[in-house]
Amino acid sequence: MTQKKPARKRYVSPKGTAIWPRLNQADTKFDADGVYSAKLAFEGDDDAANKLIAELTAVREAAFKQYISENPKFKKVAKQVDFFSAELDDEGEETGRTLMNFKMKAKITAKKTQKVYFMKPVILNAKKVVLKNPPNIGGGSQLKVSFEVAPYFNAKDKEFGLSLRLVAVQIIDLVEFGGGAAAANDFDDEDGFDGGDGADESTEDAEDEEESGDAEESSGDY
């Protein structure tokens, strides 16, 4: 009987400011299969964010130590890389905020079975209610992110780091990007035409949301 891998630990980020989030539709610019992402900015004096970074740094260092013990040939050349970065302004100067980028592949293939899974992040409101038809989440929204970490080793660059794997997003304060709901805020109520069928709401296949299973990405983990 095949023994299952233990489930990865889940972490939840503190509230951060979203920068170019891709949560309603996967971004296919650099990956044809699509990638969902939530990049969050945290103020430099955010104690909760700094505590999380310290905790994840310890996780990375422990995983790196284990990897080197199992692969001693990389001991002298492998280097650890950060999973966070300093935000820079248009002039290349640090703003004082720290960035963390959480990602989820929209399509993954199980290593052993080659079964294909289609993924999408779970999106909840501030009251922890799952939104079946979430709004268009735009930059400036205040979000929390549920995520898992996966150690990886890039053999080409000899870099060891952590992938921050997006699982779910909680909307604390919404800044909506485009769409009818956002456009409606540009106008005042007027007497006049009141016909039509109401808002045009798109729907997603709810079954895909639950299709994560025990699948693993075909690359990324060491």
Side-chain angles (χ1 to χ4, degrees), residues 5 8 108-112 115 117 165 212-219 221:
K5 284 185 177 181
R8 287 193 174 101
I108 62 175
T109 304
K111 291 180 180 178
K112 293 183 179 179
K115 184 176 180 180
Y117 294 89
R165 294 186 175 177
S212 60
D214 295 315
E216 299 178 32
E217 294 183 17
S218 58
S219 63
D221 294 356

Side-chain angles (χ1 to χ4, degrees), residues 59-65 67-68 78-82 151-154 158-162 222:
V59 170
R60 184 197 63 198
E61 290 176 348
F64 179 69
K65 184 177 180 180
Y67 181 79
I68 292 301
K79 58 184 178 181
Q80 298 185 61
V81 293
D82 287 329
Y152 70 87
F153 180 66
N154 183 326
K158 306 298 187 295
E159 294 179 343
F160 188 93
L162 289 182
Y222 66 80

Side-chain angles (χ1 to χ4, degrees), residues 28-103:
T28 57
K29 185 175 182 179
F30 299 107
D31 187 332
D33 289 336
V35 177
Y36 294 99
S37 64
K39 180 184 289 186
L40 298 186
F42 304 99
E43 298 298 331
D45 59 356
D46 187 325
D47 290 339
N50 292 332
K51 183 178 179 180
L52 176 62
I53 289 172
E55 181 179 1
L56 296 183
T57 298
V59 170
R60 184 197 63 198
E61 290 176 348
F64 179 69
K65 184 177 180 180
Q66 178 184 343
Y67 181 79
I68 292 301
S69 69
E70 296 171 354
N71 301 271
K73 63 181 180 180
F74 293 119
K75 183 176 182 179
K76 293 184 179 180
V77 295
K79 58 184 178 181
Q80 298 185 61
V81 293
D82 287 329
F83 50 85
F84 59 94
S85 62
E87 182 183 49
L88 304 178
D89 61 21
D90 293 339
E91 284 71 44
E93 300 293 330
E94 294 188 7
T95 66
R97 299 199 302 181
T98 301
L99 305 177
M100 296 177 69
N101 200 10
F102 309 88
K103 296 182 178 182

Side-chain angles (χ1 to χ4, degrees), residues 8-14 38 40 42 48-49 51-53 55-57 59 83 100-104 122 144-150 162-170:
R8 287 193 174 101
K9 180 179 177 179
R10 291 274 176 89
Y11 299 86
V12 176
S13 78
L40 298 186
F42 304 99
K51 183 178 179 180
L52 176 62
I53 289 172
E55 181 179 1
L56 296 183
T57 298
V59 170
F83 50 85
M100 296 177 69
N101 200 10
F102 309 88
K103 296 182 178 182
M104 170 190 282
V122 176
K144 286 186 174 182
V145 172
S146 170
F147 66 100
E148 300 171 349
V149 300
L162 289 182
S163 293
L164 307 182
R165 294 186 175 177
L166 172 66
V167 175
V169 171
Q170 183 181 28

